[in-house]
């Protein structure tokens, strides 16, 4: 069963969901499988399809992933957000407090999130030229967004996080991922949403981002 959303509604209302995750409701495996099936319709360079999705629902492993999520956050210590954090994080003006409030809530509840999705791509580009980096990341990130759109269509909420970054090696070990050959692309908490009404967000106006014929 999917929500009654037009394509434009789906594209404009798939939000980063942190506060409205239903932490008491398990997510059926079949729904996640459907999302992966849709995600793998995304494009990849040379159609190589080097993508993987590690889904974690088993309690002990979920706890280990949640611990790593927390340890990768500056606010894991529970310290209030400082001006220095704001500066360091370089958030879009106007979003900082809202995003951080949501993130604090997510951090406080991360051990209750029913599922984590960790998308991964074969091949490491740590010191690779830009073309190779673009080709590799460009072959996993569209699929990740498709996964998130498919999840939203099914009443599920996601937040794209890069919490895997600072702890990638440890997370790979916990998940049995061969770190030398595979990059973890994101760490996505997944749960049903509380309510399904999400709104389009305010974004930078079109005339600041659209360039016609020249910059
Ligand atoms: C590359 C990337 C990294 C992100 N990292 C995090 C993160 O580590 N933690 C988090 O809570 N949200 C993270 N987000 C979610 C953004 O904060 C969110 O997409 C943005 O604030 C817009 O929110 P909205 O889509 O709900 O309007 C990330 C998003 C992207 C695309």
């Amino acid at each position: 069963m999917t929500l009654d959303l037009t394509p434009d509604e789906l594209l404009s209302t798939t939000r980063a969901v942190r506060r409205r995750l239903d932490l008491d409701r398990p997510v059926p495996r079949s729904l996640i499988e459907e999302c992966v099936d849709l995600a793998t319709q995304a494009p990849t360079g040379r159609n190589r399809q080097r993508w993987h999705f590690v889904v974690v629902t088993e309690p002990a492993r979920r706890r280990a992933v949640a611990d790593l999520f927390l340890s990768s956050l500056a606010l894991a210590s529970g310290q209030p957000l400082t001006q220095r954090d704001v500066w360091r994080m370089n958030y879009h003006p106007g979003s900082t407090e809202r995003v951080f409030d949501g993130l604090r809530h997510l951090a406080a509840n991360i051990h209750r999130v029913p599922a984590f999705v960790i998308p991964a791509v074969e091949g490491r580009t740590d010191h690779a030229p830009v073309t190779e980096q673009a080709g590799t990341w460009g072959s996993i990130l569209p699929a990740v967004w498709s996964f998130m759109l498919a999840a939203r269509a099914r009443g599920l909420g996601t937040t794209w996080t890069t919490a895997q970054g600072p702890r990638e090696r440890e997370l790979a070990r916990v998940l049995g991922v061969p770190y030398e050959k595979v990059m973890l692309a994101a760490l996505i908490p997944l749960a049903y949403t509380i309510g399904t009404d999400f709104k389009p967000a305010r974004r930078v106006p079109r005339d600041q981002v659209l360039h016609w014929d020249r910059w």
Side-chain angles (χ1 to χ4, degrees):
M1 254 269 292
T2 53
L3 303 179
D4 187 18
L5 295 171
T6 65
D8 286 5
E9 283 168 345
L10 179 67
L11 287 165
S12 61
T13 65
T14 302
R15 297 270 74 79
V17 185
R18 303 180 187 88
R19 291 182 166 280
R20 288 177 59 187
L21 295 173
D22 188 340
L23 302 169
D24 298 316
R25 189 172 169 196
V27 179
R29 182 183 176 121
S30 60
L31 279 195
I32 301 177
E33 289 172 346
E34 286 175 22
C35 295
V36 170
D37 288 346
L38 288 163
T40 55
Q41 291 294 319
T44 55
R46 288 182 270 157
N47 198 21
R48 288 178 71 193
Q49 303 176 54
R50 295 178 287 164
W51 40 35
H52 297 265
F53 293 83
V54 185
V55 177
V56 181
T57 55
E58 188 270 316
R61 210 173 299 261
R62 203 151 46 83
R63 205 172 313 121
V65 172
D67 286 345
L68 286 173
F69 179 94
L70 274 190
S71 70
S72 76
L73 292 180
L75 45 129
S77 60
Q79 297 299 314
L81 182 66
T82 65
Q83 264 319 111
R84 193 151 171 273
D85 292 328
V86 173
W87 171 80
R88 190 173 52 78
M89 302 296 280
N90 198 17
Y91 270 83
H92 183 256
S95 303
T96 313
E97 281 305 334
R98 184 180 53 77
V99 172
F100 261 83
D101 278 352
L103 189 48
R104 274 195 204 99
H105 177 85
L106 182 59
N109 291 283
I110 196 72
H111 286 90
R112 296 175 56 208
V113 171
F116 291 105
V117 181
I118 300 101
V121 61
E122 291 170 29
R124 295 208 66 89
T125 60
D126 303 68
H127 306 291
V130 168
T131 312
E132 194 183 327
Q133 297 215 29
T136 302
W137 290 116
S139 294
I140 184 64
L141 303 187
V144 179
W145 183 233
S146 288
F147 181 98
M148 293 164 81
L149 292 168
R152 158 80 174 128
R154 285 157 181 74
L156 303 172
T158 55
T159 295
W160 193 311
T161 89
T162 40
Q164 87 290 350
R167 292 280 181 266
E168 189 186 0
R169 209 181 274 269
E170 287 151 273
L171 183 57
R173 194 175 324 113
V174 163
L175 302 175
V177 171
Y179 173 87
E180 286 69 28
K181 294 190 226 151
V182 171
M183 291 191 295
L184 304 180
L187 202 179
I188 302 174
L190 176 76
Y192 275 102
T193 56
I194 298 169
T196 57
D197 56 319
F198 290 88
K199 301 212 160 23
R202 204 147 53 84
R203 296 294 202 226
V204 172
R206 185 207 298 144
D207 60 10
Q208 275 184 38
V209 298
L210 176 61
H211 308 269
W212 211 281
D213 292 333
R214 56 161 294 164
W215 184 272

